[in-house]
């Protein structure tokens, strides 16, 4: 079982619940060491003085802020420690917001929050259910590993989810990154209709288990083949498709290919409610004018949709 990366308390008004924070995402990237080609000699990165070429130990290193023109302001590690955020052990929820008001642009890492002790399960469960019924996220700030984070605390399935968020100052606007943005001509109505038809034809329930990291799988196969001394074969590149100048024609072909691809006919919404996520159920309830949906549980939403 994984160990918590942080422990403290979740605070909402006068209610405080001791909690532990666990990573919700595992890194499956395949990591390599570096070797000099033709030898078994490892390549290592070392901190060296660029003038003398001599290696420098960590305690001899200070940080320097570049002022430009070769000038720097030197800062001692102790000076940074003095102004670092306090090692707060509290996640204080300052306000609640609608979850769909937070642009995905702001989301960073995902963690699970669980009660530190069974004694606090009742208070934890109450807050979890309140967040689930309201479909709102609590906005808070907390300190993790000496750094202050903005966070959104929300209801997951049987457990609270904490997402660290980027501060506004961290986000870059498209024009700041790319310079001049492209001039977008207005599409012809029939082209837009056909594009919407293609989107509709390609729409299906979100099933994340259908998507896998194919590149990492190929890297593993490559490593196993080389370990076994087998010859490595590569798949042939697919033939490039013929250029289509007419945008409407390209969209029409795409829609026709999707329809002719043996795709199963769409089922009625009522027959696949159990397959939908809660957010999709909420969207469907909103489209069908179900009242009081924000306060309904998943089971109540399904029941209301079947009756509508």
């Amino acid at each position: 079982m994984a160990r918590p990366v942080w422990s403290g308390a979740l605070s909402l008004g006068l209610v405080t619940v001791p909690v532990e924070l666990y990573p919700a995402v595992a890194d499956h990237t395949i990591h390599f060491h570096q070797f000099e080609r033709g030898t078994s000699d490892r390549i290592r990165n070392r901190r060296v003085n660029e003038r003398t070429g001599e290696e420098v130990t960590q305690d001899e290193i200070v940080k320097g802020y570049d002022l430009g023109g070769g000038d720097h302001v030197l800062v001692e590690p102790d000076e940074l420690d003095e102004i670092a955020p306090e090692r707060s052990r509290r996640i204080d929820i300052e306000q609640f917001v609608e979850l769909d008001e937070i642009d995905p642009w702001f989301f960073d890492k995902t963690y699970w929050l669980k009660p530190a002790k069974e004694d606090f399960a009742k208070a934890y469960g109450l807050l979890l259910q309140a967040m689930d019924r309201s479909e709102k996220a609590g906005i808070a700030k907390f300190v993790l590993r000496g750094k202050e984070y903005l966070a959104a605390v929300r209801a997951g399935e049987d457990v609270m989810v904490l997402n660290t968020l980027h501060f506004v100052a961290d986000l870059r606007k498209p024009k700041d990154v790319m310079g001049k943005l492209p001039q977008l001509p207005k599409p012809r109505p029939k082209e837009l209709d056909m594009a919407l038809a293609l989107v509709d034809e390609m729409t299906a329930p979100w099933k994340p288990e259908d998507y896998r990291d194919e590149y990492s799988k190929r890297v593993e196969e490559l490593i196993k083949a080389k370990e076994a001394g087998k010859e490595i074969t590569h798949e042939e590149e697919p033939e490039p498709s013929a250029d289509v100048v007419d945008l409407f024609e390209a969209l029409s072909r795409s829609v026709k290919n999707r329809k002719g691809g043996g795709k199963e006919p769409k089922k009625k919404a009522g027959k696949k409610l159990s397959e939908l996520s809660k957010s999709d159920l909420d969207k469907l309830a909103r489209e069908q004018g179900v009242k009081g949906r924000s306060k309904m549980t998943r089971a109540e939403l399904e029941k209301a949709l079947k009756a509508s």
Side-chain angles (χ1 to χ4, degrees):
M1 187 174 69
R3 297 177 60 185
V5 297
W6 182 95
S7 60
L10 175 67
S11 176
L12 174 59
L14 298 178
V15 179
T16 300
V17 181
V19 292
E20 295 174 338
L21 192 70
Y22 293 82
V25 179
D27 179 15
H28 290 99
T29 303
I30 297 174
H31 299 279
F32 292 92
H33 294 301
Q34 293 181 321
F35 291 83
E36 183 177 358
R37 182 179 285 110
T39 75
S40 58
D41 301 335
R42 284 277 301 274
I43 304 298
R44 300 183 184 275
N45 295 321
R46 293 179 177 176
R47 298 178 177 88
V48 297
N49 184 314
E50 67 175 12
R51 179 179 59 83
T52 65
E54 296 180 358
E55 189 171 353
V56 182
T57 60
Q58 184 64 49
D59 59 1
E60 295 175 312
I61 296 175
V62 298
K63 296 181 181 292
Y65 181 81
D66 189 356
L67 297 174
D71 295 327
H72 293 79
V73 171
L74 299 183
V75 181
E76 293 286 345
D78 292 345
E79 294 176 304
L80 291 174
D81 291 338
E82 289 175 0
I83 62 171
E86 297 179 2
R87 295 184 178 276
S88 170
R89 288 297 174 185
R90 292 172 67 91
I91 300 172
D92 290 309
I93 295 179
E94 299 177 6
Q95 71 174 95
F96 281 91
V97 301
E98 296 286 348
L99 187 56
D100 57 9
E101 287 184 6
I102 306 176
D103 192 296
W105 192 20
F106 284 87
F107 285 93
D108 185 18
K109 294 184 179 179
T110 306
Y111 298 88
W112 303 126
L113 269 179
K114 63 168 280 190
K117 297 180 179 179
E118 289 294 330
D119 298 347
F120 299 95
K122 181 177 180 180
Y124 177 92
L126 176 63
L127 296 181
L128 176 64
Q129 188 171 3
M131 290 180 184
D132 184 45
R133 292 287 291 270
S134 67
E135 298 184 0
K136 291 180 172 62
I139 303 301
K141 287 197 295 185
F142 77 112
V143 176
L144 172 64
R145 293 170 180 154
K147 181 180 176 181
E148 188 173 51
Y149 288 89
L150 182 66
V153 182
R154 57 189 175 87
E157 291 189 12
D158 302 323
V159 70
M160 288 187 195
V161 181
L162 183 145
N163 291 100
T164 53
L165 305 174
H166 298 293
F167 288 100
V168 170
D170 298 332
L171 303 179
R172 305 171 72 186
K173 297 294 179 68
K175 63 180 181 180
D176 296 333
V177 180
M178 299 182 288
K180 185 180 179 181
L181 299 180
Q183 295 293 322
L184 304 178
K186 186 176 180 180
R188 293 184 294 171
K190 69 174 186 176
E191 291 174 343
L192 182 57
D193 289 342
M194 191 57 68
L196 290 171
L198 179 58
V199 170
D200 183 64
E201 191 64 35
M202 295 178 67
T203 298
W206 166 236
K207 295 182 179 180
E209 63 274 11
D210 291 345
Y211 299 88
R212 293 176 175 81
D213 182 356
E214 297 295 338
Y215 175 69
S216 292
K217 181 181 177 182
R218 290 178 188 145
V219 173
E220 289 177 354
E221 291 173 351
L222 170 65
I223 292 171
K224 289 179 180 178
K226 291 182 72 69
E227 182 184 17
K230 295 181 180 178
E231 183 179 349
I232 303 166
T233 58
H234 301 282
E235 295 181 6
E236 294 184 5
E237 290 288 333
E239 294 184 7
S241 57
D243 292 335
V244 181
V245 178
D246 189 283
L247 184 57
F248 181 78
E249 181 188 351
L251 290 168
S252 299
R253 285 189 193 176
S254 300
V255 173
K256 187 179 296 183
N257 289 341
R258 294 291 301 186
K259 288 184 176 179
K263 186 178 178 181
E264 293 182 8
K266 294 184 179 180
K267 301 176 184 178
K268 293 183 179 180
K271 293 185 178 180
K272 59 177 182 181
L273 294 179
S274 60
E275 300 175 5
L276 298 178
S277 66
K278 192 168 186 298
S279 60
D280 287 335
L281 282 173
D282 179 72
K283 181 179 178 182
L284 190 58
R286 185 168 59 248
E287 291 173 351
Q288 297 190 16
V290 175
K291 296 181 179 180
R293 58 179 177 77
S294 62
K295 297 181 180 180
M296 291 183 181
T297 63
R298 180 186 181 91
E300 290 170 339
L301 268 176
E302 289 188 21
K303 185 177 179 180
L305 285 168
K306 289 176 181 178
S308 64

